[in-house]
Structure formats: structure tokens, C-alpha cells
Amino acid sequence: SDVNGNLNDPTTLPDSDGDLGSGGDVDYRDTVTLGDNDGDGISDNIDLDDDNDGILDVQESNLTLNCIEYEFYDLVPSGYTVDNIPTTGALATGTTTSFDVDALQNLVDPGDTNTFSIRYRGAIVINTSETYTFYTSSDDGSKLYIDGIEVVDNDGLHGNVEQSQTITLSAGVHAIEVLFFENGGAETLTVQYSTPTISKTPIPFGVIGCAVAINSDGDSVSNHLDLDSDGDGIPDNIEAQTTNGYIAPNAVYNSAGIDTAYPNGLIPVNTDGTDSPDYLDLDSDNEGNNDTTEAGLTLNGVLGVNGLDSAVYTTTNYSDVNGNINNPNTLPDSDSDLATTGDVDFRDSSNDVSIGTGNILWLRGDIDLTGSTITSWLDQSSSGVISTINGNPTSTNTLNFNKVATFDGSGDYLVTNLSINSSSYPDLTVYAVYTPSINSSGAVWGEDDSNWDRFFGDLSTGGINDMVSTGTGASNNIPSVFTANTPVISTVLFDEDVSNGSFVYANGERVRTFSSNHGPEFSNNFHVGSIGRNAYHFNGDIAEIIVFAELPTPIQQQKIESYLALKYGITLDNTNNSGAIIEGDYVLSNSVTKVWDYTANSSYHNDVAG
């Protein structure tokens, strides 16, 4: 007849950490019941940062700030309504002029059978060290604590008379608590402060009922207890700070439970200046790519009780708030501009990819290719190579929506002032993305004369010239991808060392090997669109040319070819050229993260595009 016996309401069961209304539960259903969620030695009812991420709880919850001057009743007098949780009849009064209160939380302590007590909790942020006088007034008694130290004791024996105390506070965040005792009803509590230059002013507080726990990523952990509030894998402590200005936590906490590396708490960064701050934003730079991918993360979808993914956390508690991401500047920065004008990828809306050292020429159709009839094509490497435009090459957005330079096969070509010879550049690597319009001879690049020292082009045979006039040691494995109207990524490695040889790759597949000494033997300037002012003009589109004065490792070559393949929608070949990598993988600039895993998708490695 009584299915619950004397357990008629689950909310009456023990809730040691008092978090039933703010993201937690009663103890038997709560994974954290210690009363000190983050284990920093500061109990949750005092701790202003319950997860140690540096972002104060008030920032991670929805809190309305009001000034204290409310009526609280243990017995409701006739004709009155209960204002224990402020209603429209309990309005704020007064303003502050010397500090802002930005971290508040409230806890109701039931007291004994004769006393209804309210404890207001919060923080005051002091901008400059100064002397403050704090006041309280209440008929039945109140106490004011700063940083856990009793400052004002109004014992309730003075009637509604103010009691005050003067203290000096240093700049920073100070925990503040007010304990208010109410026995008779129809009583008020007022808490104020003043300085030598400021008259008495009510202190703005949050009050019970204003704080609402928020769970932005929809997992089982509310933001103020979640070390990754948006679920993108990047810890809140990282996302709340700028990349170059990042300060690591030091795991030493003040009396308010705030890491002393951030004595005022962190004001979260909002990189894109729109929508939410980064720690709640899945696209922090607002350029269309999600932060998880741009940070080079592959998440497991298994969360610790601290809200971090198991791919990131080192422990499921709060002793390591960043897991294995200890500094934001270790995250991918594809264009290597963090130290200059840019940022790491997840915060960089203009991701001008920089691929490595030794880059001596970089022509990109999507950057600084000017005019529908091309008037200039600026070098993106640090060399500052200058090109002279000849003929009337044009530009259109035709290759996977990227702009290309179109050459007419007769008078269109570029002459650069980059002079390449074997003494200056004993090793050379040239990447090129192009689409021939017809199957006829023509050089995508070469040197500025009509000699056959080196060039790469599209020939009527369907592919690659012998590279040197003698062609000694060249194999004749010409793939079918070298056909009209088919885009291709070509990679040519010139190695002056006879033992290593020189190689030609098409879409990641090695298609030609030179076993003898075939280092770069240019004696004139680098040329685009022909190998001489009037010889072997290229007919088709050229999207990108990258020249390095060094040879790549297999993984370096793979990540560059991945960049080009994703950008231009070209499928990388899975032929095994090197045991050091898995051919067919597409890897990001950190050389680790796979955006296309060939092993996992080997049955479907056809027409892979980005």
C-alpha cells in the first residue's frame, strides 16, 4: 500500500556536493559526490571554478547579477508573497563603480529548526589595491566573509543597524560570502561597500535561483564541470586563451578555488568575433571547417567524467585539465604564420599553407593570380621571385572551383628571375598541378632557353619527356592519367647523388626513375609554360607549382601531395613506392592525422576528392 515507505522524494536523499540543481544528482546517481568536484582542496560551495579550467563557473553557467537588497522570510506574513527566490518584486538597487562582480554562486543552508539562513556566494574583482569598508545590516544577524575570513559580524542585537569593517584588498579576485539569518520575517539584508573616494554602494550579487547549469555539447557533463564544453576535443583551458599568449595552469589554487596562474579568472577568447567564444564554438575562425579537424584530432567518442574525450585525456579526473594537448602552439599551423600575422589552423580563417623549409618558388592559382587576362602571378615563397608575363594567359575557376592559369600553347609563358644550377641547388623538388588540353608536346616548366636540360610536360606519347636529352637510365612506365583534360599532380625529385637517383611521380605513383646522376642542371632562369621563349609551349591549365631546394622524406612528400589532392580533387595512387608510409593515405600537415585512411577504405579508393 506504500511502495516507497519513508522515501517519498528522491531529492531528500544525500547530495554531498549540492549539485542536484546544477548538473549533478543525488549521491547514489552522481559520479562525483565528494563535495570537491575538481579535487583542488576547495569545496564546491566555495570554489568559483569547479573544474579548474580557469574559466569561472559564472562564465560557464547562466547567471543573472542583481544587487542584494531582498526580503527573505521563514514565515510568510499576511498579505505578502514569498521572495526566497527573487521575483519581479525583488529588484536590484544601486550600481558599482570601482569593481565588477563576475563570478557568483549561491548555496542555501537550512540551518536549525529556528533559523532560516541564506548564504550568498560570489567574488569581487579588484582592479587596484585599495582600502574598502564593508557594511551589513539585518535585524536577525549576518556575517560577511572575504577570502574565507570574517570581516563583518552583525550579531542581530543592534536592530537594523549597520555594522562595518575596513580592510585593504589587493588587485585580483576575492571570494565573498554573506551569511544572513532570518527568524521573524519582514526583515531585510543590505550589504554595501565604500572606499575613501566612493560613497556606500550596494554590492551586486547573484542570488539563489539565478544560476542555471548549461550543457552546451549535450553530453552528461555541465559546462562548469566540463573540461571540453563544446565537445570539439580541444580543452577549454586552451580555447579560452590566445595561442601566443597562452599561460599553462600551475595547479596551485587560491582560497576561491581559482588557479593562481589566472588570479582574475580567464576571459574567454572569441577569435571570429561572432557567435560564441572559442570554448563553445565548433568553428572558432568561422571559415567553414570544424575545429576538431583543423586541430588534427580524431576523437573516440568515449568521455571521461571530466568531459574530455579519451583520445585527449590522460586522466578522467581534474588533475590534468588539458590532457595531452599542453600548449595550443603545438596544434597544426599549416601556413606556419603563428609567429607573424596568423594563428594555428582552427583559429586561422586565412590558411595560406606553408609546407616546409627550402621553398624557393610557389605559384598558387588561388592566391595573387591577377586578372582574367593575367597581369601578374606573385610568388608565395619567402624568395620573392618575380615573373614576367608573356603572351596573354588567362585565369578561370575551373579546377575543383580553384583558379588556374590557362596557356594557349603558342605565345603564353612566364619567365622568372629564379636561376637554378647544380652548384647552388644540388637537390631540387618540383610539384606541379596541371591539366593538358591536348595530347601534344609542351612543357609545364623548365628553363629559359630551348635546350633540353630539364623539363616536365605533356607529350603526344601521353606523359613525361626523358627529362634530359640523353634520357639515360629512364624507365618508360607512363601512366594513363597523363591524357588530355585530366588533371594530374606531378612530383619530380632531382638528386645529384648517383646512389639515390632521381624520380618522377604522378598522383603519388612513381612512374619514372633515373638511376644515374641527374641533378638539376639548369643554367638559366626557371620558366613556366615552355622551355624556351619560343619552344614547347604548354597548352592547358596550370594550377600550382611549388619548388624546393631539397628532397622530401616520404611522409613530407605524402602530406604535400595530400594538400594538393584535397585541394584540387585528385585521387592519390596507392602503389607501394616506399615502406615508410602507407600509400593512398591523405595526411594533414602534422604528418600524423589521416583525413583519408587507405587501409580502412581500401575497397573504395576510387575518385577520392576533397
Side-chain angles (χ1 to χ4, degrees), residues 232-235 238-239 282 284-285 289-299 312 324-325 327-328 330-334 344-347 351 588-590 592-593:
D232 62 1
I234 310 171
I238 295 285
E239 290 196 281
L282 295 177
S284 295
D285 53 10
N289 296 310
N290 70 73
D291 290 351
T292 306
T293 299
E294 290 196 285
L297 301 176
T298 301
L299 303 181
V312 175
N324 55 25
I325 304 176
N327 195 324
T330 62
L331 296 174
D333 176 24
S334 297
V344 292
D345 291 351
F346 86 92
R347 284 174 163 160
N351 192 7
L588 294 184
S589 59
N590 61 12
V592 175
T593 304

Side-chain angles (χ1 to χ4, degrees), residues 78 139 170 178 244 258 329 422 441 485 500:
S78 176
D139 277 1
S170 60
V178 180
N244 282 319
I258 305 171
N329 64 26
S422 57
S441 61
N485 301 312
N500 292 334

Side-chain angles (χ1 to χ4, degrees), residues 235-253:
D236 290 351
N237 178 262
I238 295 285
E239 290 196 281
Q241 304 182 62
T242 62
T243 307
N244 282 319
Y246 177 75
I247 299 173
N250 58 24
V252 177
Y253 308 97

Side-chain angles (χ1 to χ4, degrees), residues 357-428:
T357 61
N359 183 203
I360 57 175
L361 175 65
W362 194 352
L363 298 177
R364 293 177 55 174
D366 59 331
I367 294 182
D368 292 330
L369 178 61
T370 305
S372 55
T373 298
I374 299 171
T375 57
S376 68
W377 199 356
L378 300 184
D379 175 28
Q380 302 300 314
S381 78
S382 59
S383 301
V385 174
I386 299 173
S387 298
T388 301
I389 311 295
N390 294 273
N392 296 293
T394 59
S395 64
T396 55
N397 291 358
T398 58
L399 188 50
N400 203 29
F401 304 98
N402 288 289
K403 188 182 290 186
V404 298
T406 300
F407 295 78
D408 65 2
S410 58
D412 297 343
Y413 60 95
L414 277 64
V415 180
T416 77
N417 65 347
L418 176 64
S419 179
I420 298 177
N421 57 70
S422 57
S423 59
S424 300
Y425 302 108
D427 296 321
L428 197 70

Side-chain angles (χ1 to χ4, degrees), residues 426-581:
D427 296 321
L428 197 70
T429 305
V430 183
Y431 298 86
V433 179
Y434 68 93
T435 304
S437 295
I438 57 175
N439 285 328
S440 64
S441 61
V444 176
W445 56 265
E447 73 166 310
D448 184 16
D449 64 15
S450 58
N451 295 322
W452 290 66
D453 288 342
R454 292 284 186 272
F455 90 95
F456 182 86
D458 166 63
L459 299 177
S460 57
T461 55
I464 305 169
N465 184 266
D466 281 344
M467 309 303 293
V468 292
S469 55
T470 57
T472 306
S475 65
N476 292 309
N477 180 18
I478 306 299
S480 60
V481 294
F482 289 88
T483 57
N485 301 312
T486 301
V488 65
I489 301 168
S490 69
T491 305
V492 181
L493 280 62
F494 293 117
D495 190 346
E496 192 73 5
D497 188 337
V498 175
S499 63
N500 292 334
S502 298
F503 308 101
V504 179
Y505 295 82
N507 298 342
E509 177 188 1
R510 185 181 297 172
V511 295
R512 179 156 290 190
T513 300
F514 298 95
S515 58
S516 59
N517 184 334
H518 287 295
E521 297 175 359
F522 282 22
S523 57
N524 296 289
N525 292 351
F526 193 89
H527 203 240
V528 177
S530 72
I531 56 162
R533 300 180 186 277
N534 292 293
Y536 299 97
H537 293 284
F538 177 71
N539 189 323
D541 300 331
I542 300 176
E544 193 151 345
I545 292 180
I546 312 172
V547 182
F548 288 91
E550 58 189 23
L551 300 177
T553 64
I555 187 60
Q556 288 171 337
Q557 180 177 335
Q558 186 176 40
K559 75 176 183 179
I560 295 172
E561 291 173 342
S562 294
Y563 152 67
L564 295 172
L566 288 167
K567 182 175 182 178
Y568 296 109
I570 298 172
T571 305
L572 292 179
D573 192 85
N574 61 300
T575 302
N576 188 14
N577 303 309
S578 170
I581 61 173

